[in-house]
Amino acid sequence: MNHVVVLCAGDMVVGPQVVGALATYFGERPLTVSFWDEEPEREALIRSLAIAAFEGNGSTHQQFFGEIDVALAEAILVLRCAGEDFRPAPSSAVPQFDLTPLCLDDSWPRELTVDLSLVPHQLLRWIRQDDPIQQLLIDHDASPLHDLLDSLVS
């Protein structure tokens, strides 16, 4: 199983962009993705966005809704969207990437093209299909996460 765990996924700057990158990833095998955040409302928002993005792009990735311990035990990759400590901590044997430093330069993720105070509202518009989600997908079609996933997915 190719299980990717996204911690602190409810970060409103990085989380939606990770969803866009995963939704546009078409590797050799589909992924199982777990989104986790300590704030249940933000986690639910990102999970709903992922459903809309995966379906909107014809992705065959599955979301895992089980226990975090199980997700971390099965993970081939752990992505951290914010610098906060997350409990339980992932195993040191699993590759882990903190995406926060990438946000500090201009390489990736790209800044969302919406005022940050409006991000949750824009996510809801995509989830409810009030606005087409294609721009999020187009913006992340050539994400550097794709190369990383290609190196790990077998």
Side-chain angles (χ1 to χ4, degrees):
M1 178 184 306
N2 294 306
H3 200 142
V4 175
V5 176
V6 183
L7 300 179
C8 305
D11 181 275
M12 289 293 104
V13 174
V14 183
Q17 300 190 56
V18 170
V19 168
L22 292 171
T24 57
Y25 176 73
F26 291 93
E28 207 169 294
R29 300 192 198 296
L31 302 173
T32 298
V33 184
S34 297
F35 296 98
W36 301 96
D37 197 276
E38 292 180 349
E39 293 187 36
E41 291 167 351
R42 287 183 176 223
E43 179 182 309
L45 186 63
I46 289 297
R47 285 177 181 255
S48 296
L49 179 66
I51 290 169
F54 292 176
E55 288 176 1
N57 207 36
S59 171
T60 57
H61 305 322
Q62 300 287 320
Q63 280 199 64
F64 177 80
F65 294 100
E67 295 295 320
I68 183 75
D69 294 333
V70 174
L72 289 171
E74 296 176 350
I76 62 162
L77 174 65
V78 174
L79 301 172
R80 184 181 305 275
C81 294
E84 306 143 19
D85 286 337
F86 197 91
R87 297 287 178 245
S91 164
S92 59
V94 177
Q96 300 176 43
F97 291 90
D98 182 357
L99 299 176
T100 309
L102 291 176
C103 298
L104 300 178
D105 67 26
D106 291 331
S107 60
W108 188 87
R110 293 179 191 92
E111 194 69 33
L112 291 175
T113 56
V114 64
D115 178 349
L116 288 180
S117 66
L118 301 176
V119 169
H121 302 290
Q122 180 58 57
L123 300 185
L124 287 171
R125 293 185 63 74
W126 284 330
I127 292 165
R128 291 190 321 236
Q129 299 179 350
D130 295 338
D131 288 346
I133 200 166
Q134 274 57 41
Q135 192 58 51
L136 177 70
L137 302 173
I138 290 166
D139 286 348
H140 297 90
D141 193 35
S143 169
L145 269 185
H146 296 176
D147 293 335
L148 174 62
L149 290 167
D150 280 338
S151 72
L152 296 171
V153 174
S154 56

